[in-house]
Amino acid sequence: MTMHALGEPCVLLKLGEIVLKGKNRELFERRLVGNITAALKEFDLKIDVRKRHGVIAVFLPEGTSVEQADAVAQRIADVPGLVWIHRAWKVAKDPDTVVKAAIELIKDRPEVARKATFAVRSRRRDKRFPLRSNELDRLVGGEINDRYGLPVRLKNPELTVHIEVDRDEVFVFTDGLPGQGGLPVGTSGRGLVLMSGGIDSPVAAYRMMRRGLHVDFLHFSGIPFTTSESIYKAYALVRKLDRFQGKSRLWVVPFGKAQQSIRTSGQDRLAVIAQRRLMLKTAEEVAHRIRAEALITGDALGQVSSQTLTNITAQDHAVELPILRPLVGWDKTEIMAEARRIGTLEISELPDEDCCSLLAPKRAETRAKIEDLKLIEKRLDAEELAVQLADSIQEYKI
């Protein structure tokens, strides 16, 4: 594949549910373009991102290698709001040039070597182009058939050549990378994730990013009664998730002494729920300071004793901010599959001393009463303790 034979490398991006946004679509597209531009700052390339009708085109500078273009496409695939990312070639708006580019594009494909079935799918966004979509399909398809002897199959072909005629140029491409889907990060507000070192909370954070929330992270460490291992894990997880949104922030709360106070309160079976409520109160105080509008947890209904419906309700009563639980209907197998897909599972499975291990009663309460929890909190002066804990947070730069 030579640059001259194929044209110029570029990346063509297909939008998802943004196209349903009506009058607000412009706002969503503008945020998405900003997110894409920010994600591509790591490349030392002068990249031009342009909105088109229903697509976004990313033009690369002259002399960009195929490998660089592929790396740009891979990076964009992590940006929520897109459903397909196509490594394409930009060619002149001339039927003969389009035919030559399509023939050259598939020359080294294994499907050609084994005489696989193929189809051509054209889309003419610019109606001034001399050929209609079906005419362009027949022209390019006929030339490919003559050159390589591939049989045409319009339904479920093994190889598809896509041609899109735009305002100033034509895009030619075959395969694409699936995008993250969802909405552009930042279009739905800000949230604060209660981030453990486990499997669930990173997946919950990612699912809310996909719904347009920009999230920050709050980790509760057992320090001074545990080591810093859980902080390292939380940091590694936030770094992994940061590629989906950028500008992530991680705060750590030294929670060990507060846990010790709960443990000595004499309500052993309620200790886990009391701890969760104190975490939520602390998170709410932090959220107010950073202007986050919701808290996010990795709770899944019935997964552990603290996640029964009664206990979840008891936690909701601890704070006024909404608590978002995107995994509430998921089972562990589904959560682990998603963690594997987004790259957080391997980090989450590393051993560490989680702060929750400090409060592990032999039998935990599955139907906690809010009145009993309020008595514990009154003895602890939980509201004031939450403010003190929020005052003690330390930020870890990502």
Side-chain angles (χ1 to χ4, degrees):
M1 292 184 191
T2 65
M3 181 102 40
H4 299 293
L6 281 173
E8 297 178 28
C10 61
V11 184
L12 200 62
L13 313 177
K14 298 301 180 70
L15 309 181
E17 62 184 281
I18 291 176
V19 300
L20 305 175
K21 290 300 177 183
K23 294 179 180 179
N24 292 325
R25 177 171 169 175
E26 174 70 23
L27 297 174
F28 284 83
E29 287 186 352
R30 193 158 56 238
R31 177 61 68 119
L32 178 57
V33 168
N35 292 349
I36 293 166
T37 303
L40 296 180
K41 283 183 178 178
E42 64 189 63
F43 295 94
D44 189 22
L45 294 171
K46 189 176 180 181
I47 296 172
D48 184 14
V49 182
R50 301 182 203 166
K51 288 191 299 178
R52 296 289 170 83
H53 183 68
V55 298
I56 293 174
V58 179
F59 296 105
L60 306 171
E62 188 175 344
T64 301
S65 68
V66 173
E67 292 74 21
Q68 286 175 311
D70 287 341
V72 167
Q74 290 281 353
R75 180 66 187 90
I76 296 173
D78 288 332
V79 178
L82 301 165
V83 292
W84 282 103
I85 294 85
H86 297 286
R87 257 282 292 107
W89 294 91
K90 183 183 80 169
V91 301
K93 289 179 67 175
D94 168 68
D96 289 340
T97 303
V98 174
V99 168
K100 290 175 183 176
I103 288 173
E104 185 72 18
L105 177 64
I106 66 171
K107 180 177 65 176
D108 298 320
R109 297 278 303 219
E111 294 92 341
V112 172
R114 57 185 172 83
K115 303 297 182 184
T117 59
F118 86 103
V120 178
R121 309 271 193 239
S122 300
R123 184 178 181 186
R124 189 178 63 145
R125 281 192 285 273
D126 184 355
K127 304 307 180 187
R128 298 170 299 174
F129 193 71
L131 298 179
R132 293 194 182 98
S133 295
N134 59 349
E135 293 172 334
L136 190 56
D137 288 345
R138 286 197 295 269
L139 175 64
V140 175
E143 292 290 342
I144 290 174
N145 181 262
D146 290 345
R147 176 68 65 91
Y148 300 120
L150 303 185
V152 175
R153 188 168 76 190
L154 298 181
K155 188 176 181 180
N156 298 322
E158 296 170 85
L159 174 64
T160 302
V161 176
H162 296 272
I163 300 167
E164 299 201 358
V165 181
D166 215 291
R167 185 182 62 203
D168 301 316
E169 62 276 302
V170 176
F171 300 104
V172 184
F173 56 92
T174 53
D175 303 326
L177 297 169
Q180 302 300 324
L183 299 173
V185 171
T187 55
S188 299
R190 303 189 73 91
L192 181 63
V193 179
L194 278 72
M195 184 70 157
S196 71
I199 296 170
D200 303 340
S201 54
V203 176
Y206 165 76
R207 298 304 297 185
M208 295 318 302
M209 290 178 192
R210 276 188 84 248
R211 298 314 307 156
L213 270 188
H214 189 286
V215 302
D216 292 308
F217 301 86
L218 187 65
H219 176 69
F220 291 86
S221 162
I223 286 177
F225 303 113
T226 63
T227 65
S228 299
E229 285 178 346
S230 73
I231 300 176
Y232 302 147
K233 274 184 69 176
Y235 182 85
L237 287 166
V238 173
R239 278 199 64 179
K240 179 67 73 171
L241 291 168
D242 186 63
R243 74 185 194 277
F244 298 114
Q245 67 167 12
K247 297 183 179 179
S248 302
R249 296 182 292 180
L250 169 66
W251 287 281
V252 175
V253 180
F255 199 60
K257 291 182 179 179
Q259 288 179 291
Q260 189 178 51
S261 299
I262 294 172
R263 188 164 53 180
T264 56
S265 67
Q267 296 287 340
D268 189 48
R269 289 187 60 171
L270 290 172
V272 172
I273 304 302
Q275 168 186 278
R276 291 282 294 174
R277 281 172 59 98
L278 182 56
M279 286 178 170
L280 289 167
K281 288 177 182 293
T282 304
E284 182 177 52
E285 178 65 27
V286 174
H288 287 320
R289 299 181 187 188
I290 65 171
R291 298 184 180 179
E293 303 156 85
L295 306 179
I296 301 156
T297 74
D299 294 339
L301 186 62
Q303 185 169 258
V304 293
S305 62
S306 64
Q307 294 171 15
T308 63
L309 187 57
T310 302
N311 286 351
I312 285 176
T313 303
Q315 292 171 54
D316 283 338
H317 276 267
V319 294
E320 294 181 1
L321 279 180
I323 303 173
L324 307 181
R325 298 180 172 91
L327 309 184
V328 70
W330 292 34
D331 63 34
K332 199 66 177 182
T333 303
E334 293 169 320
I335 296 170
M336 290 180 70
E338 183 78 334
R340 187 177 291 109
R341 186 183 72 80
I342 64 175
T344 58
L345 182 62
E346 189 175 353
I347 301 171
S348 294
E349 288 181 331
L350 293 172
D352 73 303
E353 228 179 340
D354 188 84
C355 72
C356 296
S357 62
L358 297 179
L359 283 179
K362 292 180 181 178
R363 286 191 65 193
E365 182 59 65
T366 58
R367 299 182 62 84
K369 294 180 180 178
I370 295 172
E371 295 78 12
D372 295 337
L373 291 164
K374 286 183 175 179
L375 286 174
I376 297 173
E377 290 169 354
K378 188 175 181 180
R379 287 197 292 269
L380 293 173
D381 195 2
E383 303 296 334
E384 178 59 29
L385 182 54
V387 173
Q388 293 173 8
L389 289 167
D391 288 339
S392 70
I393 63 173
Q394 181 178 353
E395 183 175 357
Y396 286 73
K397 299 287 185 181
I398 303 301

